[in-house]
Amino acid sequence: MGSVVEKSALIICGDYMEDFEVMVPFQVLQAFGVRVDCVSPTKLPGQKCFTAIHVSLGFEHYSELPGHSFTLNSNFNEVEVGCYDALVIPGGRFTELFSVDDRVLSIVKAFAEAGKPIVTTCHSQLILAAAGLLKGKKCTAFASMKPVIELAGGIWWEQPGITSPFDITTCLKDGNILSSIGWPAHAEILKTLFESMGARIHTTKANSVLFLCGDYVEDYEFNVPFRALQALGCKVDAVTPSKKKGETCVTAIHDDEGAQAFSEKRGHNLVITANWSDVSVYDYDCLVVPGGRSPELLVMNDKAVTLVKEFAEKNRVIAGVGQGQWLLAAAGVLKGKRCACGDGMKVMVKIGGGELEESKGCVSDGKLVTAVGWPALPSFISHLSKLLGLSLSFE
């Protein structure tokens, strides 16, 4: 996306890190030309870390569910802090183990001494405390971290007015320390991180984007582009025909676990932000249809199919990921268009009149953007941003 200066970031990973808190920065930073290295002590490139889904299921405390397996791409023992412009430490239980790992603390201290931005979310502020970096610093985190921050000499700050996880929107910056309660604030986390890395967001106009989803929408395919577009200043809404604003949809995690098809597990909840009756194609510049199993549900709903057709008739940008092509084919918007899709959607694309681009993870054709699935999200976000007149440069 036209970076003036090449930038790089390091993510310190560990087993049972929060799924979104590693994947969202990993993919969004890459979408805008940032090299992202992911490392973990005792593990080598190509090996995997387990991730965890933290979600409220109606109990007193949040629940932890199994997430994706995250593949490391760099060697912890070869980390040179001088080669990076930022450090991201996801939340999750692994931070308890790493808070007493001198090798990890040495890296974190080196980033602090160099004045480079350090992003912490949820529980990873524990590592800052262990490294002695919180003295006199204003910091926020998951509420249970308040005594940790205060005992470490930090100044506790809490976003007012939070009644549910979806109210969490703030990323607090004090010097080079960026802190947040957790993943629901990713739009502000990303925006603040971009600014801290010297980025400038360029836009030709204000953009409004609508995500069309339903229960068991693919977790990454909804959340990663949703937060990325918010970070770029877009107004972004999520809608589904059968639910009202403020209600939730459950998402699905699809992961390669060695079977013939990807496995499916329950993912995070997402909140619907607009009432179906209030949605007008005239209020949005773009429609995004993530994959998962929700398109199979939506294709049986005439209202959903009609909405896609209306976006096409008004020459709006339309984007589909993975199984999202099912709904786009049903609405007739793939005819004569070059499309990227995975094996599971090849038949739908062909009978829908699309032209397969089998060697590409993401394809733009006019005002249509298609991607094979969540592994191609960095390219998908890059293509979609370009069509919307959005870009980001580092100086």
Side-chain angles (χ1 to χ4, degrees), residues 270-338:
L270 69 87
V271 66
I272 299 301
T273 64
N275 291 316
W276 184 266
S277 59
D278 296 332
V279 170
S280 168
V281 65
Y282 295 102
D283 294 331
Y284 297 95
D285 304 286
C286 172
L287 178 69
V288 178
V289 184
R293 288 194 291 114
S294 66
E296 187 177 358
L297 175 68
L298 294 169
V299 79
M300 297 184 285
N301 189 302
D302 290 340
K303 293 178 182 179
V305 177
T306 298
L307 183 66
V308 178
K309 291 179 178 179
E310 289 176 353
F311 269 81
E313 289 167 359
K314 300 302 179 185
N315 200 31
R316 299 294 197 264
V317 175
I318 298 177
V321 188
Q323 306 293 107
Q325 273 73 294
W326 194 322
L327 182 57
L328 300 188
V333 302
L334 300 184
K335 292 178 182 177
K337 296 290 187 179
R338 294 180 296 109

Side-chain angles (χ1 to χ4, degrees), residues 39-370:
V39 301
S40 186
T42 75
K43 296 196 179 191
L44 298 173
Q47 293 183 320
K48 296 183 177 183
C49 287
F50 297 110
T51 70
I53 302 294
H54 294 132
V55 62
S56 176
L57 297 180
F59 303 109
E60 286 186 313
H61 204 17
Y62 63 81
S63 296
E64 180 170 295
L65 306 176
H68 295 81
S69 294
F70 185 87
T71 303
L72 302 170
N73 65 3
S74 196
N75 193 323
F76 180 89
N77 296 322
E78 296 175 0
V79 168
E80 294 183 17
V81 172
C83 295
Y84 299 100
D85 301 284
L87 173 65
V88 177
I89 312 174
R93 289 188 289 114
F94 82 103
T95 58
E96 298 170 7
L97 297 177
F98 288 8
S99 67
V100 291
D101 189 317
D102 289 339
R103 299 167 299 169
V104 171
L105 299 182
S106 177
I107 290 173
V108 176
K109 289 176 182 177
F111 271 90
E113 290 168 0
K116 298 179 178 183
I118 302 173
V119 177
T120 57
T121 46
C122 198
H123 287 69
S124 59
Q125 292 83 343
L126 178 62
I127 292 180
L128 299 183
L133 301 178
L134 289 180
K135 293 177 182 177
K137 293 286 188 180
K138 188 179 289 187
C139 189
T140 191
F142 189 74
S144 63
M145 296 297 294
K146 179 180 178 181
V148 174
I149 290 169
E150 292 181 334
L151 288 169
I155 303 166
W156 173 255
W157 183 88
E158 187 170 354
Q159 179 187 327
I162 295 176
T163 59
S164 82
F166 302 109
D167 296 325
I168 299 169
T169 57
T170 300
C171 176
L172 183 65
K173 181 179 179 181
D174 189 343
N176 67 313
I177 302 298
L178 283 59
S179 60
S180 177
I181 296 176
W183 62 261
H186 260 134
E188 192 64 24
I189 294 168
L190 291 166
K191 179 183 176 183
T192 307
L193 177 58
F194 285 145
E195 292 171 350
S196 299
M197 295 175 69
R200 293 182 60 193
I201 297 171
H202 309 276
T203 179
T204 57
K205 66 182 182 70
N207 283 285
S208 296
V209 181
L210 183 66
F211 279 67
L212 179 53
C213 53
D215 283 330
Y216 297 105
V217 63
E218 216 292 325
D219 206 14
Y220 286 163
E221 293 173 14
F222 170 82
N223 191 70
V224 178
F226 191 93
R227 302 302 179 186
L229 291 167
Q230 284 183 319
L232 294 178
C234 297
K235 177 183 179 292
V236 189
D237 281 325
V239 70
T240 192
S242 59
K243 298 189 181 187
K244 296 179 181 179
K245 180 179 179 179
E247 295 183 335
T248 59
C249 287
V250 64
T251 70
I253 289 172
H254 295 107
D255 204 8
D256 184 357
E257 296 185 340
Q260 290 176 317
F262 276 21
S263 64
E264 180 175 293
K265 294 172 281 192
R266 177 173 181 159
H268 299 82
N269 292 331
L270 69 87
V271 66
I272 299 301
T273 64
N275 291 316
W276 184 266
S277 59
D278 296 332
V279 170
S280 168
V281 65
Y282 295 102
D283 294 331
Y284 297 95
D285 304 286
C286 172
L287 178 69
V288 178
V289 184
R293 288 194 291 114
S294 66
E296 187 177 358
L297 175 68
L298 294 169
V299 79
M300 297 184 285
N301 189 302
D302 290 340
K303 293 178 182 179
V305 177
T306 298
L307 183 66
V308 178
K309 291 179 178 179
E310 289 176 353
F311 269 81
E313 289 167 359
K314 300 302 179 185
N315 200 31
R316 299 294 197 264
V317 175
I318 298 177
V321 188
Q323 306 293 107
Q325 273 73 294
W326 194 322
L327 182 57
L328 300 188
V333 302
L334 300 184
K335 292 178 182 177
K337 296 290 187 179
R338 294 180 296 109
C339 301
C341 70
D343 289 341
M345 284 293 98
K346 286 182 178 179
V347 171
M348 282 302 299
V349 170
K350 286 180 179 179
I351 63 177
E355 301 173 9
L356 292 176
E357 291 275 352
E358 298 195 37
S359 62
K360 296 183 179 179
C362 181
V363 173
S364 295
D365 189 339
K367 290 195 173 182
L368 176 70
V369 183
T370 52

